[in-house]
Amino acid sequence: MARQSSHRPDADEPDTEFDESSRPTDTATESTADAAADPVEDDPDLDDEGAVAEPANRALWEDVRIDPVEIALPSGSGFTLRAYRMSNEVTPTEIGERDDDDPFHARARRDEEEETVVFLDEDFAESLEAEDREEDPRRGRAVRDDDEADDEDLDDQADEADEEDEDEEAEEVAVFLTHRGKLLLFKSRESLVSFVLSGAPHDMTELDTWDDLVARVQPADIAPLDEDSYELDLVVENLRGGHDTWDPKLLIAAGEVARDLAFALRLPSVLDMLSTGNSLDDLDEALRATANGGLGGFMGRRRLKKIGAQTASLGWRTIIGKISAAVDWRD
């Protein structure tokens, strides 16, 4: 016999029949779950205000041959612009009071100081002048005419040699958004674009594609590629950790941007520290060999162990300090 329930509803007990309208819909449940699993603030396609961010216009940067760059320094991170041009197409930034630190100015001053002044006996000097004025009695004026012609030929040859030297010495160099020897760094994309559109003076206005950039750039376009983002603020700490913790990608990228900045900002001491034969250049080459792997990587790791961590970290601390001193932060 089937067992029956002992509970019997009382006549006065209210009817508790389930109302289907109170059941949560599947759509509402799914929406709640989606919102919990996919919060708005973690969506990379949304900006800070929750609006859909426009993708960066990479075609713009390819057309103008200029790129947005992000550089992190101990004092903060900022955006700027960088381009590569031939050295004979651009004018170095004016550094004003830093002329003593400029290799070109120093070399010219050194040449002037080392110039040798020879004092001749007055009688001997007059005899030399007389010989210069003397004419050949048989050829008369022709002597001086030939001499002048020879001088003109020599001048022409010298000019041609100078032009050839300039062509041979031209190389691709980095040009940054600089002004009077200072790197302009902006803490936001909007402030960088506002500066570009403002017409304020800077060294990039000489680029042939600058006007095109001004006409087209938008804040959303200031989106540096991974290879154009540099974390100089982490370099010293990474080097202090010892050989086993050194990050080749971080340090190699730091060396590349430091060389570019040293040339663009006319920091000869930094260029010298990173030049061939110095310990930081040896560090760079060993890191590159390690990153390439294989037998070269094995040899690179052996070379790295010969480089002192303290020496490397102190050297890079000096470099980053000099670069930081040449930065003009803009909000």
Side-chain angles (χ1 to χ4, degrees):
M1 178 182 294
R3 188 175 180 178
Q4 296 181 353
S5 171
S6 61
H7 176 73
R8 298 169 185 255
D10 190 271
D12 297 330
E13 185 176 343
D15 188 3
T16 57
E17 182 178 357
F18 180 74
D19 185 0
E20 290 291 337
S21 63
S22 64
R23 180 190 299 274
T25 63
D26 293 341
T27 303
T29 304
E30 292 175 359
S31 300
T32 304
D34 291 343
D38 214 1
V40 171
E41 57 269 22
D42 292 338
D43 191 339
D45 294 329
L46 301 180
D47 59 19
D48 296 338
E49 297 180 356
V52 178
E54 297 181 3
N57 183 8
R58 290 306 308 174
L60 165 65
W61 305 115
E62 293 173 1
D63 291 344
V64 299
R65 295 182 296 135
I66 301 173
D67 288 299
V69 175
E70 184 175 12
I71 301 175
L73 292 167
S75 55
S77 180
F79 299 96
T80 188
L81 301 175
R82 176 181 61 188
Y84 289 100
R85 297 291 189 272
M86 298 307 294
S87 57
N88 57 358
E89 298 177 0
V90 294
T91 303
T93 185
E94 296 181 4
I95 58 176
E97 66 277 5
R98 285 200 295 116
D99 280 344
D100 291 339
D101 199 34
D102 180 56
F104 304 103
H105 179 82
R107 187 181 304 118
R109 188 180 65 248
R110 195 164 51 247
D111 292 342
E112 292 177 359
E113 293 174 351
E114 294 177 355
E115 183 178 358
T116 302
V117 180
V118 179
F119 296 94
L120 300 176
D121 181 81
E122 293 185 3
D123 295 336
F124 182 65
E126 291 179 359
S127 64
L128 290 178
E129 294 178 1
E131 289 178 3
D132 292 339
R133 291 193 300 269
E134 186 177 354
E135 297 181 1
D136 189 325
R138 293 169 297 176
R139 297 171 60 192
R141 182 69 179 171
V143 173
R144 285 196 296 274
D145 291 342
D146 290 342
D147 291 341
E148 292 174 359
D150 291 340
D151 292 341
E152 292 177 359
D153 292 339
L154 291 174
D155 291 340
D156 293 338
Q157 293 175 7
D159 293 339
E160 293 176 1
D162 291 340
E163 293 176 358
E164 292 177 358
D165 290 341
E166 290 178 0
D167 293 338
E168 292 177 357
E169 294 174 0
E171 59 181 348
E172 189 176 67
V173 297
V175 181
F176 284 86
L177 191 61
T178 56
H179 183 56
R180 296 188 180 279
K182 294 284 188 177
L183 174 67
L184 306 183
L185 273 183
F186 298 83
K187 296 183 177 180
S188 69
R189 295 170 173 83
E190 290 76 13
S191 59
L192 172 54
V193 173
S194 296
F195 177 84
V196 169
L197 301 179
S198 69
H202 58 83
D203 298 321
M204 271 194 163
T205 54
E206 65 175 333
L207 300 183
D208 56 349
T209 58
W210 181 255
D211 291 340
D212 188 18
L213 175 65
V214 173
R216 298 167 57 185
V217 70
Q218 299 291 330
D221 298 324
I222 310 299
L225 299 174
D226 290 342
E227 58 265 32
D228 292 330
S229 297
Y230 304 94
E231 298 174 309
L232 295 181
D233 57 330
L234 303 180
V235 171
V236 174
E237 182 180 355
N238 183 254
L239 289 170
R240 286 176 176 169
H243 301 82
D244 295 336
T245 64
W246 286 356
D247 184 346
K249 182 178 179 181
L250 168 71
L251 300 176
I252 290 172
E256 292 174 349
V257 75
R259 288 183 178 88
D260 284 348
L261 288 169
F263 185 89
L265 299 173
R266 297 167 75 174
L267 300 173
S269 57
V270 174
L271 286 173
D272 182 64
M273 294 179 68
L274 297 171
S275 64
T276 303
N278 285 345
S279 59
L280 294 184
D281 182 66
D282 293 340
L283 169 64
D284 183 78
E285 291 186 358
L287 288 168
R288 291 177 186 274
T290 302
N292 292 333
L295 179 60
F298 172 75
M299 298 301 294
R301 286 190 293 273
R302 292 188 60 182
R303 291 173 60 187
L304 282 179
K305 293 181 179 179
K306 298 179 181 179
I307 299 174
Q310 184 177 5
T311 300
S313 62
L314 288 175
W316 264 106
R317 182 179 179 181
T318 300
I319 289 174
I320 294 172
K322 288 184 175 294
I323 291 174
S324 298
V327 169
D328 181 1
W329 286 98
R330 302 292 183 94
D331 295 330

